[in-house]
Amino acid sequence: MSMDITASIARERLGLLFDNGSFTELDALRQEKDDAAAVICAHGYVDGQPVCAFAQAPDVNNGALGKNAAGKIKRLYHLAAKTGTPVVGIYDSNGVYVDGTADALTVYGKLIAAATALSGVVTQISVIAGVCAGSAALMATAADFVICTEKSELYLTPPFGTDAATAQTAAANGIAAAVCADVTAAMEQVRSILTLMPANNLAGAPICEYTAPEIACSKDTLLESIADAGSLLPLYEAYGDTVKVALATLRGTAVGLVSACAKDALTADDSAKIARFVRTCDAFTVPVITVMDTPGFACDTEAARNGSLRAMTQLCGAYAEATSVKIALITGEANGAAFSAMAGRGAGSDLVLAWNSAVISPMRPEAAVEFLWHDKLKGAADVNATRRTLADEYSRTLASAEKAASLGVIDTVIAPVDTRAALIAALDMLESKRISRMPKKHSNIPF
């Protein structure tokens, strides 16, 4: 590590990331005109795995990024591309190095192109440790995961007089995967993500030693009872709060967990949150386990202007396109389009499991009763009570898990106590999954 005393903040932050605070600095002597370049680029190890990282230096010209500093970062991206190494970017800068020429216009453009070229190739994580504005914000948010510190600022144009630049706003909008108290906590979050994500798209899901959870399986602690003890890492908790997404390990293998288990219907934010997470997992062939107990998709309001439909179409596309292992577990209600989009074989699920108490139907039981058994409601002394009785009968018969299995809609009916064992068996069976898609440039699902 260079003994140069400049950019001490950047070096301190990199030290928090790498094992034992040790790293090899790259392009250590490159300058920006007569000053030191306001960025430190480094290579080191996180839990023994190679990682490339750069940290902007707010104590050098306020972190201003010029052509040479950008050249250092671009070279780091080239190194990561050649070696299949994850990239961590630590952002804290007041902008580009301004010398009155048009050079400033292309500095970040080239970096955004380099980061985009690596998207889906190596895992990329951005840490917003201070100010990240303008083109830098575009570059940072192109990463697979964005981690903000509580006092950081992230914005494209100055949001004068509003709180639109805060880390909390970034989290509420689904941009930040997590907001941490300080840089130390942010680096711990980054280290946790790196241990659960493959280094690159050819590496396969990480495998590690594990301890089985001691938590009994229940709807209240379902993800905790599925994941290996201490491995659950929730993400995007401030966004789309009807659903949960998390990285974890299951019998030592990294997986992505999606839980759509709530009394409320899935909103546009919920759908966008799941779609983003599924696409991230699929880019790196991380298995996705989807747990479902939901009344379905929410209705659009006039103010939403079909925003829910757009987000739900994104969700359908994310599941349908994903070629990684996809396992669905129905623990309660699975109705209509939500089942088709997220859990059904039409969505490409490799295996669909259901608890013996699950209800799987084209519509909610109450609506099904009105449609199928309307004659039974006529003349009832208490229509509401009769409807509830018929809905219960429908759930136990035509919409039961056993009926769905007999029709080939799902694969297996299990008892809740067998959930973790059944998921492990499914993961083992699908470990060697291979699938090919028709050749095309890219899909055109609406964003």
Side-chain angles (χ1 to χ4, degrees):
M1 188 165 64
S2 171
M3 296 304 293
D4 188 355
I5 62 171
T6 60
S8 59
I9 294 176
R11 289 194 173 86
E12 179 183 349
R13 290 169 174 172
L14 289 170
L16 294 171
L17 171 66
F18 291 113
D19 294 344
N20 302 316
S22 177
F23 57 87
T24 299
E25 187 173 341
L26 306 174
D27 279 352
L29 301 180
R30 192 183 292 202
Q31 292 184 298
E32 199 70 67
K33 298 189 182 299
D34 297 328
D35 301 315
V39 67
I40 302 297
C41 294
H43 179 278
Y45 295 87
V46 174
D47 287 337
Q49 300 300 316
V51 172
C52 290
F54 67 85
Q56 292 183 316
D59 48 352
V60 177
N61 289 326
N62 292 318
L65 190 79
K67 288 179 62 177
N68 284 341
K72 292 177 66 171
I73 297 174
K74 190 173 180 180
R75 183 173 181 275
L76 186 78
Y77 275 110
H78 286 317
L79 177 62
K82 288 189 289 186
T83 59
T85 306
V87 175
V88 177
I90 304 171
Y91 292 82
D92 189 354
S93 168
N94 283 341
V96 295
Y97 195 103
V98 178
D99 60 4
T101 71
D103 277 345
L105 298 175
T106 62
V107 167
Y108 269 114
K110 292 180 179 179
L111 291 181
I112 292 171
T116 302
L118 270 185
S119 180
V121 178
V122 302
T123 297
Q124 297 184 61
I125 305 175
S126 295
V127 177
I128 315 302
V131 176
C132 181
S135 297
L138 294 176
M139 179 182 171
T141 54
D144 300 299
F145 303 96
V146 177
I147 309 299
C148 291
T149 58
E150 282 188 352
K151 296 182 179 180
S152 64
E153 297 180 45
L154 178 63
Y155 57 90
L156 187 60
T157 55
F160 298 117
T162 73
D163 62 356
T166 66
Q168 292 72 25
T169 298
N173 289 337
I175 295 171
V179 176
C180 299
D182 52 30
V183 174
T184 300
M187 292 307 166
E188 284 301 315
Q189 184 84 355
V190 171
R191 290 174 64 90
S192 296
I193 293 173
L194 288 172
T195 61
L196 292 168
M197 286 293 294
N200 57 67
N201 62 342
L202 300 178
I207 298 175
C208 62
E209 295 183 356
Y210 71 94
T211 302
E214 297 181 356
I215 300 174
C217 183
S218 71
K219 287 191 176 183
D220 294 334
T221 61
L222 188 54
L223 295 189
E224 290 82 355
S225 65
I226 290 174
D228 296 335
S231 72
L232 194 66
L233 183 64
L235 300 168
Y236 301 102
E237 292 188 281
Y239 177 62
D241 55 8
T242 299
V243 301
K244 298 178 182 178
V245 300
L247 293 171
T249 62
L250 178 59
R251 68 99 165 91
T253 298
V255 296
L257 298 175
V258 175
S259 175
C261 298
K263 293 180 180 180
D264 296 329
L266 303 180
T267 66
D269 285 354
D270 298 327
S271 298
K273 173 178 175 175
I274 296 173
R276 167 66 168 158
F277 184 72
V278 169
R279 285 175 61 84
T280 300
C281 290
D282 182 55
F284 298 98
T285 322
V286 174
V288 176
I289 298 173
T290 302
V291 184
M292 176 175 285
D293 179 6
T294 175
F297 290 127
C299 297
D300 253 327
T301 62
E302 184 177 349
R305 298 181 182 274
N306 283 329
S308 295
L309 177 59
R310 182 172 58 251
M312 291 160 193
T313 304
Q314 295 169 11
L315 174 62
C316 291
Y319 272 99
E321 282 193 332
T323 58
S324 60
V325 170
K326 292 177 287 187
I327 302 169
L329 171 65
I330 313 302
T331 62
E333 283 191 83
N335 303 314
F339 174 80
S340 300
M342 299 172 59
R345 289 174 175 170
S349 291
D350 300 297
L351 206 66
V352 185
L353 315 177
W355 283 2
N356 47 24
S357 57
V359 177
I360 303 163
S361 65
M363 61 190 76
R364 298 204 71 183
E366 294 79 4
V369 166
E370 290 284 355
F371 183 76
L372 296 173
W373 297 338
H374 183 71
D375 288 345
K376 296 182 180 182
L377 291 172
K378 290 181 179 179
D382 187 336
V383 173
N384 290 332
T386 302
R387 183 184 293 109
R388 287 193 296 270
T389 299
L390 291 174
D392 182 64
E393 179 185 349
Y394 173 78
S395 298
R396 290 184 286 102
T397 55
L398 294 179
S400 69
E402 288 78 7
K403 183 63 175 180
S406 73
L407 296 172
V409 175
I410 65 173
D411 295 286
T412 308
V413 180
I414 63 172
V417 69
D418 297 325
T419 298
R420 178 176 159 88
L423 290 174
I424 290 174
L427 202 59
D428 287 340
M429 181 179 68
L430 296 166
E431 188 173 24
S432 59
K433 176 186 175 181
R434 297 290 183 272
I435 190 169
S436 299
R437 295 294 195 193
M438 291 183 292
K440 59 182 177 181
K441 189 172 183 180
H442 57 73
S443 65
N444 195 27
I445 301 297
F447 284 96

